[in-house]
Amino acid sequence: MPKISVLMPIYNTEPTVLKEAIESILNQTFTDFEFLILNDSPNNQDLKKIVESYHDDRIVYLENQENLGISGSRNKLMSLAKGEFIEIFDHDDISKNNRFELHMEFMKNRKDVDILGSNAHFMNADFNTNYPETNEEIKRKMMTECCMIHPSCVIRRSFLIKNNVSYDETFSPCEDYKMWIDLLDKAIFHNIKEPLIEYRDSMTNTSNSLNERFKDRTKMIRYLALQKFPQFEYKRTNIDIRLFSCIPFLKIKEKESHIYGKLFGFIPLFKIKVSN
C-alpha cells in the first residue's frame, strides 16, 4: 500500500495549468504515493490525453460518467484512496517539491495531529498567508474565517474513516470550511508556517466564479460555528475604568491586531500586538 494518496479532481482545467500541477506532484522528494486524478468533465478528453502523457505508474486516471461537482468528486476520491495519509490538492495550484517530505516528517513526530496544513504563496497577488500555527489558535480563528488552506493539507486516513468524514455539497464551494467546522471538536489541527503551495487565486477558480454563493455559504458556516462552538469565539478586550463611576481613568481597547491603553481616555499609555 502507498504511504500517501494524493487526491486531485480536475474540471475543464487549462492545459498549461494542469501540467504544472501534475508535475509539482510527480517531482516530490518523497515518492511513496498514489496520485488519483478524477476528471469531472468527462466530455473533455483533452484532459485525459494530458494526464496519460505522463507515463508514471503512480498516476491513477479516473472519470466520472457525469458531472458530480467538486464535493461529490472529492468524496469519491476519498472512498478510493488506499494510503495511510490523504494529501489534498487542487488542479490549478503548485506544490513545493518538499511538501510531502515535510508533512511525513511532521506527522511521524506529532502523532496527536490529525490534520496538517501550511501557509501558501498567492501567485497572482505575490504575498504569503500568515495563518495561526497551533490547534487552539486555529480553532479560535475558524470562528471568523477558514484558516486551513485546503489544498495544502494532509489528513490521517484512519481519522477520516473513524469519524465518517465527507464533504457537504450543500455548502459548496465552501465545503472544506464546513468540514473543518464539523471536525472542530474531534480533530487536532496544525499549520506549518512555511508556504508549501503556490496558490492560484484567479478569476476562473471556483471561489471567484461563484462569488456570491461563496460569501453566502461562508456566513452560514460562521453562524453554525458560533452556535455549536461558542467556547472558541474570540472575545475582544474592551475595558473602561472610571474614577467615582464617572471620571474616565483608563481605557483598554482591542482593535485589529493590537491592544491600546489610554489614560483619561486620550493619553496613549501602551500598544501591544496580539497573536491570532
Side-chain angles (χ1 to χ4, degrees), residues 83-97:
E84 181 181 350
F85 295 92
I86 301 295
E87 288 277 359
I88 301 168
F89 197 49
D90 283 349
H91 64 163
D92 54 356
D93 297 329
I94 298 172
S95 277
K96 299 291 184 68
N97 68 350

Side-chain angles (χ1 to χ4, degrees), residues 104-168:
M104 291 302 97
E105 181 181 355
F106 185 96
M107 297 300 261
K108 178 182 178 181
N109 294 328
R110 286 288 306 275
K111 297 188 184 301
D112 60 314
V113 172
D114 304 298
I115 302 170
L116 175 67
S118 77
N119 279 293
H121 177 253
F122 276 59
M123 286 185 272
N124 294 30
D126 192 24
F127 80 94
N128 293 339
T129 58
N130 184 28
Y131 283 134
E133 185 175 5
T134 67
N135 181 57
E136 183 177 348
E137 291 174 322
I138 289 169
K139 289 179 176 179
R140 292 192 184 281
K141 190 70 170 176
M142 282 287 187
M143 295 297 101
T144 56
E145 67 177 290
C146 182
C147 59
M148 295 289 290
I149 299 176
H150 189 241
S152 79
C153 288
V154 60
I155 310 175
R156 296 184 192 275
R157 189 161 72 94
S158 58
F159 173 81
L160 295 176
I161 294 171
K162 177 183 176 182
N163 292 283
N164 194 28
V165 175
S166 64
Y167 295 93
D168 187 343

Side-chain angles (χ1 to χ4, degrees), residues 53-70:
S53 70
Y54 294 93
H55 302 290
D56 192 308
D57 292 340
R58 295 171 297 180
I59 293 177
V60 180
Y61 175 77
L62 305 155
E63 282 185 358
N64 289 331
Q65 291 185 342
E66 58 183 22
N67 176 255
L68 295 182
I70 188 64

